[in-house]
Amino acid sequence: MNNNHLMRIALFVGLVAAITLAVIYRDRFDGAALEAWVHDAGPVAPLLFMLAYALAAVLFLPGSVLTLAGGALFGPVLGTVYNLAGATLGATLAFLIARYLASDWVAEKAGGRVKQLINGVEGEGWRFVAFVRLVPLFPFNLLNYALGLTRLRLSHYILATAVFMLPAAVAFTYLGYAGREAVAGGEGMIQKGLMALALLAVVAFLPRLIASLRSGPMIDTETFKQMRDTRKDLLVLDVRTAGDFVGEQGHIEGAVNIPVEELEQRMDELGDYLERPVAIVCRTDKRSAKAELLLAEEGFADVHVVRGGMTKWIDAGLPVV
């Protein structure tokens, strides 16, 4: 066993021990204790705050406590700067730790669906990082480690993390600031509260916006037929009811039927197609458009609505079952 291997084992054991202790004593990690600690730090308080934020990200401590505290302690502008810097530093440290500990092993051992997912992430590069930062599909702390197991370029990861975490950082930092002002009875409490709510509404709307940008364009029947004939990895997803699927119009051979009303509950059945093309059909295309949005919000990267659905397919004289 070489020294590098021993160092990895030691780092892994130390990391697990530190995370375990952090989880056990996480009840002591609250805003009041953090505020007292920062005030005692004097002029180096901002630096210590950013380091504490980074350490919290590495040890799976809740970043929301720190983000709100940053707004309360440093105000909306400097608080955003310190929060974003600390979160980016912590995300980078976790990414590098995971890459050092296990990326080679994962690259060697991964196969099947796991390998496919990794290849999809690496293929999208910074765009995938941007998407998951704006649309938090996975917990922030866990995602940092998971992305370190891929071959994403470090510079792309850091830049996309910093840029695309900014909207949420601004919103939640301002929320912490507004909360502190409300408690202290500062002026303009109503305006500041409304501003905080407006920023949170923008952040809440971002997943839908990004999902619509990430999804593929609507395609006509001819294009759909060409894709079906040439793309063997294409999933044809029919989102009509089970009765319609075997009813008057019939269905396209090989199509998978999941009614749009059941799609959220049955999303795990489509896990193999996260990074593969999906064409959605219904009677026309209204139900398909709803299904497209649901899939895009779950991270499906290549989703298309077939314009006119089964009606246009049948009008074109194409075969059905």
Side-chain angles (χ1 to χ4, degrees):
M1 187 177 294
N2 58 40
N3 290 336
N4 188 42
H5 192 59
L6 288 172
M7 287 180 62
R8 291 186 183 188
I9 293 175
L11 177 58
F12 177 76
V13 171
L15 180 64
V16 171
I19 291 173
T20 302
L21 288 173
V23 171
I24 292 173
Y25 293 104
R26 69 188 304 165
D27 291 342
R28 301 184 184 182
F29 185 70
D30 57 31
L34 183 64
E35 181 178 355
W37 180 70
V38 168
H39 280 309
D40 291 341
V44 297
L47 177 60
L48 291 180
F49 177 82
M50 289 184 283
L51 292 176
Y53 204 128
L55 186 62
V58 172
L59 298 182
F60 287 84
L61 290 172
S64 57
V65 173
L66 282 157
T67 306
L68 294 172
L73 292 170
F74 303 108
V77 178
L78 289 178
T80 298
V81 173
Y82 300 153
N83 281 331
L84 188 60
T88 303
L89 177 60
T92 303
L93 288 174
F95 179 91
L96 291 173
I97 289 170
R99 173 159 290 184
Y100 176 70
L101 287 179
S103 63
D104 291 340
W105 181 85
V106 169
E108 180 182 345
K109 300 294 185 181
R113 181 179 173 185
V114 174
K115 182 65 174 177
Q116 184 182 47
L117 288 174
I118 291 175
N119 288 341
V121 171
E122 293 172 350
E124 287 203 64
W126 70 267
R127 292 181 296 275
F128 182 85
V129 180
F131 176 71
V132 295
R133 295 308 187 197
L134 287 171
V135 185
L137 302 173
F138 304 101
F140 172 73
N141 296 334
L142 181 61
L143 183 66
N144 299 329
Y145 282 100
L147 291 176
L149 300 177
T150 70
R151 298 295 183 181
L152 284 171
R153 290 181 61 178
L154 177 61
S155 58
H156 289 180
Y157 171 81
I158 295 173
L159 185 59
T161 293
V163 171
F164 292 97
M165 284 198 307
L166 180 60
V170 170
F172 285 97
T173 301
Y174 196 91
L175 182 62
Y177 164 71
R180 179 61 178 268
E181 289 291 293
V183 171
E187 296 182 1
M189 288 186 297
I190 295 178
Q191 292 90 332
K192 290 172 182 175
L194 291 175
M195 176 64 75
L197 290 175
L199 289 171
L200 290 174
V202 170
V203 172
F205 177 73
L206 280 176
R208 184 172 292 270
L209 174 63
I210 300 304
S212 64
L213 294 176
R214 182 177 165 86
S215 59
M218 186 175 286
I219 55 176
D220 58 27
T221 301
E222 182 179 353
T223 303
F224 170 47
K225 182 180 184 303
Q226 291 174 353
M227 288 179 63
R228 185 170 174 271
D229 291 341
T230 58
R231 297 292 301 271
K232 301 305 180 185
D233 59 344
L234 173 71
L235 168 67
V236 179
L237 179 62
D238 193 316
V239 295
R240 296 175 296 164
T241 65
D244 287 339
F245 187 70
V246 296
E248 177 186 355
Q249 287 188 320
H251 59 268
I252 298 168
E253 184 177 3
V256 173
N257 177 226
I258 302 180
V260 68
E261 296 83 3
E262 303 174 12
L263 189 55
E264 285 187 276
Q265 291 73 36
R266 297 174 60 183
M267 200 69 72
D268 58 333
E269 297 177 29
L270 306 177
D272 290 340
Y273 290 89
L274 272 171
E275 300 295 336
R276 293 160 66 181
V278 179
I280 312 175
V281 296
C282 61
R283 179 175 291 274
T284 54
D285 48 45
K286 292 182 175 58
R287 293 164 65 91
S288 297
K290 292 173 60 178
E292 176 197 31
L293 191 57
L294 291 173
L295 289 177
E297 288 177 345
E298 289 295 322
F300 286 77
D302 192 7
V303 182
H304 306 266
V305 170
V306 179
R307 182 182 288 110
M310 290 299 299
T311 300
K312 289 291 186 181
W313 180 270
I314 292 169
D315 288 347
L318 296 169
V320 296
V321 176

